[in-house]
Amino acid sequence: MFDIMSIMNKVKEAQAKIKEAQAKLVHLKSEGESGAGMVKVVVNGNRKVVDIQMDDSLVNVADKEMLADLIVAATNKAMESIDVKIKEELKSATDGMMPNIPGMDFGNMF
C-alpha cells in the first residue's frame, strides 16, 4: 500500500524546486552566431532574446540599434506565441489524465 500524504508532499516539494530552478533561468546566457560572426544573438534561459549584434557592413549604421530592437521584439513575440500553443497542445493531449486534487495545481506542469 502507498502513503498518499507522502506522495503529495513529494509532489509539492518537486513543484517548489522546479519554480526555484525556473527563477534562476533568467541568469543563463547563450550566444549563437552566423556569417562568420557577422551576426550574434544572445538568449537567456527563459528563451528570450536579450541582445543582437550585427556587423556594420550589413546595415546602415544609423538604423542598426533600432533594427536590433525590432528583431528582438518580433522574435520574443513569436517565442511567447509558440509557448502558448505548445502549452495548449500538451494540455489537450493530457486532458483528464491528471487527478483533480484540491490544492494541487497540475495545470502548471506544462
Side-chain angles (χ1 to χ4, degrees), residues 48-64:
K48 300 289 185 194
V49 176
V50 294
D51 188 32
I52 293 179
Q53 299 172 6
M54 295 166 278
D55 189 272
D56 290 344
S57 67
L58 296 175
V59 295
N60 180 345
V61 178
D63 296 334
K64 185 174 166 181

Side-chain angles (χ1 to χ4, degrees), residues 41-79:
V41 176
V42 178
V43 297
N44 67 19
N46 288 334
R47 300 176 60 215
K48 300 289 185 194
V49 176
V50 294
D51 188 32
I52 293 179
Q53 299 172 6
M54 295 166 278
D55 189 272
D56 290 344
S57 67
L58 296 175
V59 295
N60 180 345
V61 178
D63 296 334
K64 185 174 166 181
E65 188 174 329
M66 180 183 68
L67 179 59
D69 289 343
L70 291 170
I71 293 170
V72 167
T75 304
N76 286 333
K77 282 184 179 184
M79 294 282 221

Side-chain angles (χ1 to χ4, degrees), residues 16-53:
K17 287 183 179 183
I18 289 170
K19 285 186 180 187
E20 181 180 322
Q22 287 174 332
K24 293 179 181 179
L25 292 179
V26 73
H27 301 292
L28 293 176
K29 301 268 194 270
S30 183
E31 182 179 292
E33 64 176 55
S34 64
M38 293 181 77
V39 176
K40 295 179 183 178
V41 176
V42 178
V43 297
N44 67 19
N46 288 334
R47 300 176 60 215
K48 300 289 185 194
V49 176
V50 294
D51 188 32
I52 293 179
Q53 299 172 6

Side-chain angles (χ1 to χ4, degrees), residues 1-8 10 101:
M1 197 139 223
F2 61 92
D3 179 10
I4 190 73
M5 291 307 291
S6 175
I7 293 171
M8 297 297 287
K10 287 181 181 181
I101 302 171

